[in-house]
Amino acid sequence: MAKDYYETLGVAKSATQDEIKKSFRSLARKYHPDTNPDNKEEAEAKFKEISEAYEVLSDENKRRMYDQTGRVDFGSGRSDFTWQDFSHFNDFSDLGDIFRNIFGGNFGFGAGSDFSSGFGRQEENLDLVTNLRVNLEEAYYGASKSIKYRRNETCSHCKGTGSDDGKLSTCSVCNGTGQQRIVQGQGFFRMVSVTVCNTCGGRGKIPSKPCSTCKGIGSVPVTENLEIKIPKGSPDRLRLRVKGKGQSNFGRTGDLFVILNIQEPSGMRRMNDDIYLQSEISFPEAALGAEREISIFKEKLTLRIPPGTQPGEIIRIKNAGMPHVNGHGSGDVLVEARLVVPKHLSQSQKELIAKFGEENGKKHSWFK
Ligand SMILES: [Zn+2]
Ligand SMILES: [Zn+2]
């Protein structure tokens, strides 16, 4: 019998995204393991359930698949929902504390390992995180950049089992539990700690004959060369997920997370999707108004200086800024008028300006 995600979240089949989110949030708080010290396990299980339901229903594609088929395929190599599925959520900023508390680490970049360590089955974090420098122009137009890094890839000879003939036997040290219990102290004061079995590495199984290619490890080191597509309008710190390009361990493979580090050129600042810059404007341009061409990367834009522009005034060029990364349209270009007073004037220019000053009703003894 398939799980009813709508029932889990207590929403109607026709619920809007807002309702789903709202319900998930209140349930997430309710079943926060820290607020349920007496029935932590139950709360954790419940929390996991509502999280799974939320992951499906908050994603229109998964929701449709679920509505039509009653199930959702979470992708290859993953038999059940894991905390790493949270990593692509980006609307959790106000739930940050909850996740920090549960997972005991920073919820966000590269904290994948913390997602699974909180409770349930301990899983090694196989995700990799790397930073990628991108200049603003590449973010403006979109780009493709190559990265090179080292990772462990599933051994093709043994298909990640670590066994030459594919056969595995139960680890005799931990009897297949993958855990080792270490008892310290005696009598009343006894402390039991549970650690990962270091004979089988927590698998509970060992190859009868270690694979000749990977020496029984199940993976081999490789140098990976990837082309990373930088979406048009990428914001700084955007995190791109490359599925299945993390570390491999006995057939399980994590993901690679590429965090964009967007560099602004000098004289240009990005403010959300607006681009801010300064432009020198002469007094005649400011006073009379003028039209002038300026360039943003490869774009030629027309800067329309209105008559009577004041120093520091912002002139807006609509829709010429950064493209919105999740849709159509763009931000604006904001040009701050830097009024420049000329330092070197010819005699006739001096005369004209003096004349202008006098016509304006000012009586001075000009330095001309
Ligand atoms: Zn192998
Ligand atoms: Zn073992």
Side-chain angles (χ1 to χ4, degrees):
M1 182 63 203
K3 296 170 223 173
D4 189 336
Y5 291 140
Y6 292 99
E7 199 179 292
T8 304
L9 287 186
V11 295
K13 276 229 154 58
S14 57
T16 63
Q17 281 304 332
D18 261 8
E19 290 165 346
I20 288 166
K21 196 189 266 184
K22 210 181 247 172
S23 173
F24 169 68
R25 282 186 176 154
S26 76
L27 289 169
R29 288 196 175 86
K30 187 172 165 194
Y31 292 107
H32 185 316
D34 279 2
T35 58
N36 294 275
D38 298 332
N39 56 344
K40 219 177 171 89
E41 265 176 33
E42 207 177 298
E44 284 165 353
K46 192 79 188 158
F47 193 94
K48 219 167 159 170
E49 245 172 61
I50 58 173
S51 303
E52 179 180 331
Y54 181 68
E55 199 210 358
V56 172
L57 299 187
S58 64
D59 181 318
E60 285 301 348
N61 289 327
K62 287 182 183 167
R63 185 179 179 182
R64 204 172 311 123
M65 194 198 293
Y66 172 73
D67 285 345
Q68 283 165 7
T69 66
R71 61 185 296 280
V72 169
D73 185 7
F74 280 106
S76 58
R78 188 180 292 147
S79 55
D80 63 356
F81 182 79
T82 76
W83 293 108
Q84 279 150 30
D85 290 309
F86 275 115
S87 48
H88 65 274
F89 283 12
N90 49 20
D91 59 345
F92 269 99
S93 44
D94 58 334
L95 275 178
D97 285 342
I98 289 182
F99 288 97
R100 250 189 298 283
N101 291 341
I102 292 173
F103 304 117
N106 66 324
F107 176 69
F109 303 130
S113 59
D114 294 321
F115 298 155
S116 54
S117 62
F119 41 80
R121 185 159 44 114
Q122 289 252 331
E123 277 190 359
E124 190 191 349
N125 177 29
L126 298 172
D127 292 337
L128 288 174
V129 180
T130 186
N131 284 292
L132 179 60
R133 267 177 177 240
V134 173
N135 64 42
L136 195 61
E137 181 166 0
E138 289 166 325
Y140 187 90
Y141 291 109
S144 181
K145 286 186 86 103
S146 49
I147 58 164
K148 192 173 167 182
Y149 66 104
R150 302 276 292 168
R151 72 181 190 97
N152 288 331
E153 190 180 63
T154 300
C155 171
S156 57
H157 180 69
C158 64
K159 300 191 170 54
T161 60
S163 165
D164 217 45
D165 52 9
K167 287 189 184 118
L168 298 167
S169 54
T170 303
C171 172
S172 57
V173 175
C174 64
N175 289 321
T177 61
Q179 293 180 340
Q180 260 177 323
R181 292 166 72 83
I182 299 164
V183 182
Q184 283 172 318
Q186 280 190 333
F188 198 74
F189 298 100
R190 213 179 306 178
M191 207 174 85
V192 181
S193 55
V194 178
T195 61
V196 171
C197 170
N198 53 25
T199 304
C200 63
R203 279 172 91 201
K205 285 175 278 188
I206 46 171
S208 11
K209 190 171 164 238
C211 167
S212 54
T213 304
C214 65
K215 312 270 181 284
I217 295 166
S219 59
V220 286
V222 288
T223 300
E224 192 78 63
N225 282 293
L226 290 181
E227 282 294 312
I228 302 296
K229 210 176 160 293
I230 314 295
K232 250 188 194 188
S234 291
D236 191 30
R237 308 298 295 167
L238 180 70
R239 192 168 64 152
L240 304 170
R241 180 187 206 167
V242 188
K243 278 217 153 204
K245 289 295 181 183
Q247 298 286 29
S248 291
N249 187 20
F250 295 120
R252 291 195 307 119
T253 305
D255 299 331
L256 172 73
F257 290 97
V258 180
I259 299 170
L260 303 186
N261 199 331
I262 296 178
Q263 315 271 309
E264 294 166 351
S266 69
M268 217 181 251
R269 240 169 58 210
R270 178 184 191 167
M271 302 187 304
N272 298 318
D273 283 340
D274 292 339
I275 295 173
Y276 165 91
L277 51 95
Q278 294 183 323
S279 185
E280 294 194 343
I281 286 171
S282 67
F283 173 70
E285 284 177 320
L288 302 175
E291 252 183 33
R292 171 151 38 92
E293 193 176 76
I294 61 163
S295 42
I296 294 278
F297 311 125
K298 296 182 196 97
E299 307 306 305
K300 301 272 178 249
L301 307 177
T302 306
L303 177 67
R304 289 192 181 82
I305 305 160
T309 293
Q310 301 301 309
E313 208 166 284
I314 302 287
I315 303 164
R316 194 176 279 266
I317 306 175
K318 280 260 177 207
N319 306 320
M322 296 300 292
H324 299 315
V325 72
N326 291 325
H328 302 290
S330 307
D332 299 337
V333 170
L334 309 177
V335 182
E336 181 184 330
R338 284 199 57 219
L339 195 68
V340 178
V341 177
K343 280 195 165 166
H344 306 286
L345 295 169
S346 67
Q347 193 53 39
S348 64
Q349 284 173 325
K350 287 179 185 176
E351 310 269 334
L352 284 167
I353 293 170
K355 193 159 178 278
F356 168 80
E358 277 149 25
E359 265 188 30
N360 239 3
K362 301 267 196 278
K363 291 268 181 258
H364 285 297
S365 39
W366 311 103
F367 294 108
K368 55 181 177 175

